Amino acid sequence: MEPHLRAKGKHFYAIGLSYKKADAELRGHFSITDEAKVNILDEAKDEGIDSLILISTCNRTELYGFAEHPFQLIKLLCEHTHGTVEEFEKVSYIYKNSIAVSHLFRVGTGLDSQILGDFEIISQIKNGFKQSKEKEMVNPFTERLVNAVIQASKRIKNETEISSGATSVSFAAVQYILARVPYVSDKNLLLFGTGKIGRNTCENLIKHTKNDHITLINRTKNKAEKIAGKFNLVVKDYANIQSEIKKSDVLIVATGAQKPTISKQLIHSDEPLLILDLSIPRNVALDVKELPNVTLVHLDDLSKMTDRTLKRRKSQIPKAEQIIEEIKEEFDAWLTTRKFAPTIKALKNKLTVLKDAEIDLQRKKIVGFNEQHADIISDRIIQKITNQFAHHLRNENASADESIEFIQKVFQLQNK
């Protein structure tokens, strides 16, 4: 696949970092704000980068684009986030051409997610694609690739059980609470913030704990009341957070702030308190661990939960990978058509001219010559020859450009 991923001296790269090597704090350094996304795309366009898609979630930050060198993309990321090049080099990955394509397929289909089979990432890819398209930063290759990844994601979701059972970190949070908080339906649960994972956790808590007195606090009370209406929660003012924490058995933090919003100074109780920090960067200061009655769990810890559900999901990986391979083959065939079609077409035309001349000659020489049969046989041989050449050109180990040049030279093809 390598040769036809090149475009005017540029290669297709995937650069980024994820939960696999970067902890929550470091991932927070490279989190891309909405404003930064716009600025990165604008600057990339000015620098002549053909196509670029940005993904920034609590678990990963990635850039997919065509560039002469991956450092062009790394520089863009570091200039528009709080992360440095030195930090990036320690935890990052850089994939090129066919390996970058394979990586996007694994990410988009949940095979690379913190919790296997978590399909929330595909919506992030769709959003990144939409934003890039609006900025005219999507080329035909990237558009076809993203659509292929979306197709693979749908098929895996529908044809395998890789997303059965727990589907996200939020569900894992609920499993953790259910396992460690006895009589949870009678406990006081406080949700601070309205981040997506926090909202999903809250919804799952209501569904699975039958707790009907969950309290929500958010800095913007209007937003809190809107969400509370949907989930039937009690809303309290942000000014009351200290007293509400004192009354709580479980505190779920999902504020989406860039700095910790909960610290030891806010906790004034000797009663056991479980704090779940579902935020990137961390929204709970680590000094809360100094309090003997407090248990702090971050979403990184939740993702490590292994249970029968995850084991069952792992058994579905081969089936998912088979689906990916099928769709990747279709994508490769499309790439081959784009790259090699003119040469294959010119070759077929040249062979057809040779065939017509030969049939015309043999018709004059051979008595009772069956022109129809000769035509059928010749056409089949021509098709087999052109198929062989097409197969050779698809072989990513071959130098496609050299092969095309060789075919054109041998058969004296004028059309390229």
Side-chain angles (χ1 to χ4, degrees):
M1 196 192 302
E2 304 285 337
H4 42 285
L5 291 184
R6 290 202 298 269
K8 301 171 188 173
K10 296 176 183 177
H11 294 268
F12 181 63
Y13 289 103
I15 67 109
L17 63 150
S18 74
Y19 66 93
K20 289 183 177 178
K21 286 178 72 176
D23 61 21
E25 184 180 355
L26 204 50
R27 297 201 303 276
H29 291 182
F30 289 94
S31 180
I32 310 175
T33 64
D34 290 341
E35 184 183 359
K37 285 179 182 178
V38 172
N39 293 336
I40 288 173
L41 289 171
D42 286 341
E43 192 173 323
K45 198 170 189 178
D46 291 340
E47 291 183 7
I49 291 171
D50 289 32
S51 179
L52 183 64
I53 291 178
L54 314 173
I55 301 171
S56 183
T57 72
C58 57
N59 289 333
R60 70 180 67 245
T61 294
E62 295 181 334
L63 276 66
Y64 293 87
F66 277 88
E68 292 175 10
H69 192 277
F71 190 72
Q72 290 176 278
L73 304 181
I74 297 166
K75 180 169 162 284
L76 280 172
L77 174 63
C78 295
E79 281 179 352
H80 294 276
T81 62
H82 298 297
T84 65
V85 174
E86 291 74 23
E87 286 176 325
F88 183 82
E89 285 174 347
K90 288 177 186 173
V91 297
S92 65
Y93 39 83
I94 299 170
Y95 301 127
K96 182 178 177 182
N97 293 342
S98 60
I99 300 172
V101 168
S102 295
H103 179 69
L104 182 56
F105 268 102
R106 291 190 71 83
V107 170
T109 54
L111 295 187
D112 201 63
S113 295
Q114 222 173 5
I115 291 185
L116 177 65
D118 185 350
F119 281 96
E120 287 180 15
I121 186 66
I122 197 66
S123 62
Q124 299 287 343
I125 292 172
K126 287 177 182 176
N127 291 339
F129 171 74
K130 184 182 176 186
Q131 188 171 21
S132 294
K133 186 141 189 181
E134 286 170 355
K135 287 280 184 180
E136 297 181 342
M137 282 295 288
V138 173
N139 62 15
F141 169 91
T142 308
E143 181 155 6
R144 186 82 180 208
L145 174 60
V146 170
N147 285 330
V149 171
I150 292 169
Q151 183 190 356
S153 175
K154 282 180 183 172
R155 280 194 55 192
I156 289 170
K157 200 169 187 178
N158 293 334
E159 297 174 29
T160 76
E161 294 179 8
I162 206 161
S163 61
S164 61
T167 55
S168 64
V169 172
S170 62
F171 195 94
V174 174
Q175 285 185 314
Y176 189 93
I177 293 169
L178 290 172
R180 286 160 182 80
V181 180
Y183 308 109
V184 69
S185 59
D186 300 326
K187 302 293 185 182
N188 293 322
L189 310 183
L190 173 61
L191 173 63
F192 177 39
T194 55
K196 185 178 179 183
I197 293 177
R199 296 198 309 271
N200 289 347
T201 300
C202 189
E203 188 173 10
N204 281 320
L205 276 172
I206 293 166
K207 193 185 298 181
H208 297 283
T209 67
K210 310 302 181 191
N211 189 310
D212 60 358
H213 53 281
I214 299 173
T215 301
L216 171 62
I217 292 179
N218 193 56
R219 287 179 186 271
T220 309
K221 195 173 183 184
N222 289 345
K223 196 171 183 182
E225 286 171 342
K226 191 175 178 182
I227 290 166
K230 182 182 178 185
F231 296 132
N232 195 24
L233 310 178
V234 177
V235 175
K236 297 285 184 175
D237 289 323
Y238 175 62
N240 299 334
I241 189 162
Q242 193 167 301
S243 59
E244 288 300 322
I245 290 174
K246 191 172 184 178
K247 292 190 287 185
S248 299
D249 300 292
V250 180
L251 168 61
I252 300 160
V253 182
T255 58
Q258 292 300 304
K259 293 180 180 178
T261 52
I262 300 292
S263 63
K264 188 169 78 169
Q265 284 71 28
L266 284 175
I267 301 169
H268 298 277
S269 170
D270 297 327
E271 295 299 317
L273 175 63
L274 170 62
I275 303 178
L276 272 64
D277 185 356
L278 306 182
S279 313
I280 296 290
R282 288 180 184 271
N283 282 187
V284 179
L286 295 178
D287 64 4
V288 301
K289 288 183 174 181
E290 296 168 15
L291 299 170
N293 59 310
V294 172
T295 302
L296 174 62
V297 178
H298 188 259
L299 61 80
D300 279 359
D301 306 313
L302 293 170
S303 67
K304 293 170 187 171
M305 291 174 62
T306 53
D307 56 14
R308 284 178 297 180
T309 298
L310 292 179
K311 286 177 184 174
R312 188 167 68 247
R313 288 181 176 200
K314 283 178 182 176
S315 71
Q316 299 293 301
I317 290 176
K319 197 184 290 185
E321 288 177 335
Q322 186 180 348
I323 291 170
I324 289 173
E325 281 309 307
E326 286 174 19
I327 293 173
K328 268 176 67 182
E329 280 181 18
E330 293 171 11
F331 178 68
D332 290 349
W334 174 80
L335 278 180
T336 301
T337 301
R338 276 177 63 86
K339 176 78 177 181
F340 308 137
T343 299
I344 296 298
K345 186 178 179 182
L347 173 61
K348 194 169 186 178
N349 290 341
K350 183 62 180 265
L351 292 175
T352 301
V353 169
L354 294 174
K355 176 205 81 169
D356 290 343
E358 188 62 29
I359 286 179
D360 190 48
L361 176 66
Q362 297 304 329
R363 191 194 323 111
K364 295 171 184 175
K365 289 172 63 177
I366 300 173
V367 178
F369 178 70
N370 191 322
E371 187 175 341
Q372 186 181 7
H373 287 176
D375 199 52
I376 292 170
I377 293 168
S378 300
D379 283 344
R380 285 182 61 82
I381 291 171
I382 288 171
Q383 190 60 50
K384 286 179 184 294
I385 291 170
T386 52
N387 285 348
Q388 281 291 110
F389 276 108
H391 178 73
H392 167 75
L393 292 173
R394 274 198 296 268
N395 182 357
E396 67 177 291
N397 296 321
S399 174
D401 292 334
E402 288 178 14
S403 295
I404 288 173
E405 190 178 341
F406 180 73
I407 293 167
Q408 289 167 347
K409 187 176 179 181
V410 168
F411 291 97
Q412 299 175 325
L413 306 178
Q414 299 303 313
N415 298 325
K416 295 188 179 183

